[in-house]
């Protein structure tokens, strides 16, 4: 009995820390700070990073809010922090702290340490055990699109056609976009777009109150038109959540990249046999 309780407790903790792969999430991955730090400890036990001074950079890389080229955390780092409701200057203090960082871009570990320390000291409470959505990389976007093309049996002519003439003219492309958003855990037919995850993925502001209300009204209007599932998903992406950086822009960019590959080598199969992420 004690062993059973222990196993159940460990399983529950794992489910809280990392969630992926069910019908709601599909390929989406969720990690907590605790989980990323544990992974970094494993990776850095041997080799040149054994000193641990790069641990915060490692956390940022795994949670995908750190980029060495930029040398500052993406705004999506804020998903791991809870500002105090009584603190109205946390953002300004954090930005001032980031501005004062003197380490050169080449010193990636020290810049990561200093930057993330700014958030730890000024932004709010660091929530270490609460998992959150991890945005996909461009390579993962491409693989998921390839999987959807294979699942829906989309011919290269359709791919090239909607890249050139637009998704609105191709029902098959609308179904492909729906599959893409479903596979990335950004959308469900029942619930519509997940604005928080879209914000993290696209570094947008879709989860802010005013934008959320506007999107909700837009989605309600479209649902009242009795559209099929593919057209509804497309029009929601196009009309309701198409901000400065939107999922439909990501989809179009990856589609264009894949089309370019096919044009460069027409003999290759539409499924490029990349690594599987789900």
């Amino acid at each position: 009995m004690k062993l059973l309780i222990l196993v159940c407790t460990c399983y529950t903790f794992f489910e809280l820390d990392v969630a992926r792969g069910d019908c709601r999430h599909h390929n989406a991955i969720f990690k907590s700070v605790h989980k990323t730090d544990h992974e970094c400890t494993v990776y850095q036990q041997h080799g040149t990073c054994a000193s641990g001074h790069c641990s915060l950079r490692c956390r940022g890389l795994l949670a995908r809010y750190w980029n060495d080229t930029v040398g500052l955390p993406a705004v999506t780092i804020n998903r791991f922090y809870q500002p105090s409701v009584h603190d109205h200057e946390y953002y300004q203090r954090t930005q001032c702290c980031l501005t004062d960082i003197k380490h050169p871009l080449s010193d990636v570990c020290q810049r990561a340490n200093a930057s993330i320390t700014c958030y730890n000291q000024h932004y709010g409470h660091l929530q270490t055990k609460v998992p959150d959505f991890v945005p996909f990389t461009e390579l993962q976007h491409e693989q998921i699109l390839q999987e959807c093309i294979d699942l829906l049996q989309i011919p290269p002519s359709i791919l090239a056609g909607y890249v050139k003439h637009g998704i609105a003219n191709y029902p098959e492309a609308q179904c492909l976009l729906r599959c893409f958003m479903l596979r990335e855990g950004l959308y469900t037919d029942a619930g519509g777009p997940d604005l928080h995850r879209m914000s993290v993925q696209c570094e947008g502001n879709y989860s802010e109150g005013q934008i959320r209300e506007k999107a909700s009204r837009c989605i309600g209007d479209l649902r009242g038109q009795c559209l099929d599932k593919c057209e509804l998903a497309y029009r929601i992406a196009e009309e309701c959540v198409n901000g400065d950086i939107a999922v439909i822009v990501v989809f179009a960019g990856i589609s264009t990249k894949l089309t370019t590959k096919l044009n460069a080598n027409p003999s290759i199969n539409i499924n490029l046999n990349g690594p599987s992420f789900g």
Side-chain angles (χ1 to χ4, degrees):
M1 178 63 72
K2 289 183 178 180
L3 178 60
L4 178 61
I5 293 173
L6 177 60
V7 170
C8 291
T9 302
C10 292
Y11 179 77
T12 302
F13 176 78
F14 179 80
E15 285 295 302
L16 175 65
D17 211 38
V18 181
R20 65 165 295 171
D22 64 20
C23 61
R24 296 167 299 165
H25 303 308
H26 296 269
N27 278 28
I29 295 176
F30 303 81
K31 291 186 179 182
S32 66
V33 170
H34 176 85
K35 174 61 178 175
T36 57
D37 286 354
H38 173 72
E39 290 180 11
C40 289
T41 300
V42 174
Y43 300 148
Q44 296 178 342
Q45 282 179 345
H46 303 285
T48 58
C49 292
S51 63
H53 76 286
C54 272
S55 60
L56 291 183
R57 172 179 174 268
C58 180
R59 177 197 296 175
L61 290 172
L62 294 185
R64 301 206 178 108
Y65 59 71
W66 179 261
N67 184 316
D68 287 340
T69 303
V70 177
L72 289 172
V75 294
T76 55
I77 188 178
N78 64 6
R79 68 192 189 275
F80 295 109
Y81 293 85
Q82 181 60 55
S84 169
V85 294
H86 304 294
D87 186 354
H88 303 294
E89 298 179 353
Y90 67 92
Y91 180 80
Q92 290 81 357
R93 290 198 313 275
T94 305
Q95 293 304 306
C96 288
C97 181
L98 293 172
T99 302
D100 290 339
I101 294 174
K102 306 301 182 185
H103 301 288
L105 280 174
S106 58
D107 195 348
V108 293
C109 293
Q110 290 302 326
R111 280 195 69 89
N113 289 344
S115 301
I116 296 171
T117 297
C118 286
Y119 277 86
N120 291 342
Q121 292 179 345
H122 300 291
Y123 200 90
H125 174 66
L126 177 62
Q127 302 178 100
T128 60
K129 294 186 178 181
V130 180
D132 209 303
F133 176 73
V134 177
F136 292 91
T137 65
E138 185 169 333
L139 177 62
Q140 289 173 320
H141 284 318
E142 188 174 345
Q143 174 61 25
I144 288 170
L145 179 59
Q146 291 168 357
E147 290 173 349
C148 286
I149 288 171
D150 189 44
L151 288 168
L152 300 179
Q153 302 182 54
I154 304 295
S157 59
I158 295 295
L159 181 65
Y162 80 75
V163 166
K164 183 175 181 180
H165 301 293
I167 301 173
N169 300 311
Y170 292 85
E172 301 94 335
Q174 296 172 13
C175 290
L176 188 59
L177 172 63
R178 172 179 172 268
C179 177
F180 181 79
M181 294 193 296
L182 287 170
R183 292 284 287 161
E184 295 208 346
L186 302 175
Y187 178 88
T188 64
D189 292 324
D194 189 303
L195 298 182
H196 171 71
R197 296 178 197 171
M198 285 188 174
S199 293
V200 173
Q201 181 63 63
C202 301
E203 296 187 24
N205 295 314
Y206 305 117
S207 59
E208 289 188 356
Q210 187 175 4
I211 297 175
R212 181 179 290 274
E213 291 177 9
K214 182 179 178 181
S216 180
R217 290 194 299 270
C218 176
I219 293 167
D221 291 342
L222 291 177
R223 288 191 186 280
Q225 297 180 29
C226 298
L227 306 171
D228 66 62
K229 291 181 178 180
C230 295
E231 185 178 2
L232 178 62
Y234 159 66
R235 290 190 59 184
I236 286 175
E238 174 65 28
E239 300 173 22
C240 303
V241 293
N242 193 3
D244 293 334
I245 304 176
V247 173
I248 199 167
V249 176
V250 174
F251 174 79
I254 298 299
S255 298
T256 301
K257 183 178 179 181
L258 182 54
T259 302
T260 302
K261 286 185 177 182
L262 291 172
N263 289 337
N265 188 358
S267 64
I268 65 175
N269 191 285
I270 191 70
N271 186 339
L272 301 182
N273 297 318
S276 176
F277 296 99

